[in-house]
């Protein structure tokens, strides 16, 4: 199969303290003309805090069959970073992360550690997934 250079998703905004699955392979429609994402190759994720204070952002890849995404599970975490208001963080993999049927990209916004400051409340973090999908 060939790869389709397309927008995997539009910008996904997560407000307040939350854990959200934003892309599930085989379920989620892509932002481009491909339709439902099949095998997907994630090259990176851009995270930008548009909120009022520092928040902690985490990025996870959940395996197929894992249905509990109400709280981030550290066994699946790829990145965790404190992002101050109006700051941007780039997560980039040296080699694309291959996702197959029903694997899910999950993001989490939480309050940062007390030593960092900020409450996480009033936070809004935008996520943009960069990559390709099979057509």
């Amino acid at each position: 199969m060939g790869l389709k250079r397309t927008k995997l998703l539009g910008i996904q905004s997560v407000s307040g303290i939350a854990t959200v699955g934003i892309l599930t392979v085989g379920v989620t429609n892509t932002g481009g003309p491909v339709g439902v994402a099949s095998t997907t190759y994630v090259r990176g994720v851009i995270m930008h805090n548009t909120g009022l204070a520092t928040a902690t952002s985490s990025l996870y890849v959940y395996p197929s069959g894992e249905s509990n995404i109400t709280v981030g599970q550290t066994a699946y975490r790829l990145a965790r970073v404190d992002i101050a208001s109006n700051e941007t963080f780039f997560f980039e993999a040296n080699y694309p992360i291959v996702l197959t049927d029903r694997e899910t990209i999950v993001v989490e916004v939480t309050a940062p550690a007390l030593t960092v400051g900020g409450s996480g409340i009033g936070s809004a973090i935008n996520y943009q997934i960069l990559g390709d999908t099979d057509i």
Side-chain angles (χ1 to χ4, degrees):
M1 296 199 135
L3 290 179
K4 177 68 175 174
R5 288 184 175 216
T6 186
K7 181 185 285 189
L8 290 177
L9 285 175
I11 293 173
Q12 303 294 302
S13 185
V14 177
S15 298
I17 296 183
T19 304
V20 180
I22 60 173
L23 173 74
T24 300
V25 175
V27 176
T28 306
N29 280 320
T30 64
V34 175
V36 173
S38 58
T39 301
T40 300
Y41 306 89
V42 176
R43 292 181 286 125
V45 178
I46 301 170
M47 305 174 196
H48 178 74
N49 185 352
T50 62
L52 304 173
T54 299
T56 299
S57 176
S58 299
L59 175 68
Y60 303 84
V61 174
Y62 276 50
S64 176
E66 181 63 60
S67 60
N68 181 15
I69 61 167
T70 57
V71 64
Q73 297 183 34
T74 57
Y76 308 135
R77 186 168 52 211
L78 298 180
R80 180 179 176 153
V81 62
D82 293 324
I83 305 176
S85 181
N86 294 315
E87 280 192 353
T88 302
F89 174 78
F90 293 86
F91 170 82
E92 296 178 288
N94 289 333
Y95 187 80
I97 299 166
V98 180
L99 302 177
T100 57
D101 192 44
R102 303 295 189 265
E103 292 183 315
T104 304
I105 298 273
V106 175
V107 295
E108 179 179 54
V109 179
T110 58
L114 292 176
T115 57
V116 174
S119 65
I121 297 171
S123 297
I125 297 185
N126 292 337
Y127 296 90
Q128 179 71 62
I129 299 176
L130 307 173
D132 302 303
T133 189
D134 278 340
I135 55 172

